[in-house]
Amino acid sequence: AAAARKAYRNNDVDPELAEYEAELHNLIVKERKEIRRRINEAREKGDLSENQDYDKAKWEQSKVEERIEELEKLIEDAKNRKL
């Protein structure tokens, strides 16, 4: 977010686009990796049918993937508006 604001002040980037791109990068690079780790840990515990850690991680994974799709569309729309 700070980098996005700095780029905007320097007139390099649309601040809205920069915010979307920063959030997208964080979700892809950090959140996906963390959720995969938690899913794998939950799998190692055995039976997944009653594993709350697994269920929670899978639910969070679905929310992150939904947000990634949403951000990708927002970024595409923002770039098209600039053309």
Side-chain angles (χ1 to χ4, degrees), residues 14-60:
D14 175 338
E16 180 182 44
L17 180 60
E19 291 285 339
Y20 293 155
E21 289 176 335
E23 182 181 354
L24 179 62
H25 178 78
N26 179 61
L27 290 173
I28 291 172
V29 173
K30 294 180 181 178
E31 294 297 321
R32 269 186 178 167
K33 185 177 180 179
E34 174 60 21
I35 290 171
R36 277 193 217 119
R37 182 191 64 75
R38 291 185 15 237
I39 289 171
N40 289 334
E41 282 180 4
R43 282 186 177 139
E44 291 173 2
K45 293 179 181 177
D47 184 12
L48 298 179
S49 64
E50 296 183 20
N51 187 324
Q52 290 180 354
D53 292 336
Y54 179 80
D55 291 341
K56 183 178 179 184
K58 289 298 283 184
W59 181 83
E60 289 175 1

Side-chain angles (χ1 to χ4, degrees), residues 66-82:
E66 285 175 14
R67 182 62 178 157
I68 287 171
E69 286 181 27
E70 180 181 12
L71 286 167
E72 289 173 338
K73 183 173 182 346
L74 290 169
I75 290 168
E76 181 180 339
D77 290 348
K79 287 181 177 178
N80 287 336
R81 282 193 313 263
K82 290 182 85 173

